Amino acid sequence: MRPEHLVRDHTVYACVMGSRAFGLATEGSDTDRRGVFLAPTPLFWRFEKPPTHVEGPAEEQFSWELERFCELALRANPNILECLHSPLVEYADDTGRELLALRGAFLSRRVHETFTRYAYGQRRKLEADVHVHGVPRWKHAMHLLRLLASARDVLRTGALTVHAGELREPLLAVKRGEVPWPEVEARMIRLEREAGEALRGTPLPAEPDRRRIEDFLVRVRRASALRTP
């Protein structure tokens, strides 16, 4: 089975991500589509296994096989967790809706480490841009501020919110280069500190509910095997 056919025929969940999901789209913004497909169980019985992810077939489209998606979500991968919380869901079958219902089972205090570690690496890149070019990539700076605010808020509330909401205009001002870099950097440092403070009183559990996710995966694999002639 060709990779593009797995996406075309076996997608269980599809959403829009990027600036449109974040509420930060402007004229000319791309439409980034992300999805999850369930490879038919018999494909795993062969020496050559189905792909863990597929790029395309459309432009700006990327999909993960369900098991790989769950593995990354259990590790609190920021991109994957945000994909599960996109406000722009384009498709979800029964399996996809059950996956969405399990969103809370993936969340844990691990988000502090993964979100802030990712943010730290991105901030170092922005600092390198300033050192070499005199200015950072303002779009990347905007998205990093949004991510840090999201990390702080999920640790405070236990709920992950992707849309920027009332932060839209201040963030777009950063994207336009209207905020001096020292002020932007100071905001990043403050958000990192606030995330650390939120960790101490977070309602999130120490670990995700791995058993619940694994039970879900086993059930859908078994159902897929029984459907196959």
Side-chain angles (χ1 to χ4, degrees):
M1 184 175 292
R2 296 176 62 86
E4 60 267 28
H5 294 166
L6 287 169
V7 175
R8 183 192 68 191
D9 300 332
H10 298 281
T11 288
V12 300
Y13 172 66
C15 67
V16 173
M17 285 302 298
S19 294
R20 298 193 183 279
F22 302 148
L24 298 170
T26 56
E27 186 177 351
S29 292
D30 293 332
T31 300
D32 300 320
R33 287 186 163 85
R34 300 292 179 263
V36 181
F37 62 90
L38 174 64
T41 300
L43 294 182
F44 291 91
W45 300 339
R46 304 174 181 177
F47 287 121
E48 185 177 353
K49 307 301 181 185
T52 58
H53 59 270
V54 175
E55 188 169 354
E59 291 187 10
E60 308 297 336
Q61 182 181 15
F62 193 95
S63 300
W64 296 267
E65 206 283 324
L66 178 63
E67 183 173 342
R68 177 60 173 166
F69 186 87
C70 289
E71 287 175 346
L72 292 172
L74 285 168
R75 296 177 195 170
N77 179 288
N79 291 326
I80 299 295
L81 290 180
E82 290 196 325
C83 184
L84 269 176
H85 292 78
S86 172
L88 302 178
V89 175
E90 293 192 316
Y91 174 77
D93 65 5
D94 289 344
T95 300
R97 286 189 288 273
E98 186 170 0
L99 176 65
L100 289 176
L102 289 168
R103 286 182 296 191
F106 289 103
L107 293 177
S108 72
R109 295 174 196 170
R110 291 184 182 185
V111 300
H112 178 261
E113 178 186 359
T114 56
F115 276 60
T116 57
R117 184 177 61 210
Y118 176 81
Y120 181 82
Q122 293 302 306
R123 183 152 64 90
R124 295 284 82 82
K125 293 179 181 179
L126 291 170
E127 289 170 349
D129 287 340
V130 173
H131 179 73
V132 174
H133 305 292
V135 294
R137 290 165 290 177
W138 292 113
K139 179 179 178 180
H140 291 196
M142 173 191 72
H143 283 301
L144 183 49
L145 283 169
R146 184 208 59 79
L147 180 73
L148 285 168
S150 181
R152 177 200 60 190
D153 292 345
V154 68
L155 288 164
R156 283 177 173 175
T157 67
L160 180 58
T161 300
V162 169
H163 197 281
E166 63 184 15
L167 295 178
R168 171 181 163 83
E169 291 308 319
L171 288 172
L172 289 177
V174 171
K175 181 182 179 181
R176 293 190 296 265
E178 297 170 359
V179 184
W181 168 246
E183 182 177 339
V184 172
E185 188 173 33
R187 290 184 193 177
M188 292 176 180
I189 294 170
R190 185 182 71 250
L191 286 168
E192 289 174 357
R193 183 182 68 251
E194 291 173 351
E197 293 169 352
L199 176 64
R200 292 194 286 271
T202 184
L204 291 175
E207 298 292 334
D209 195 340
R210 184 181 180 89
R211 181 173 179 178
R212 188 178 169 198
I213 303 302
E214 188 170 56
D215 287 346
F216 160 68
L217 182 62
V218 170
R219 282 191 289 102
V220 297
R221 287 272 191 254
R222 182 180 294 118
S224 172
L226 294 174
R227 285 195 302 268
T228 304

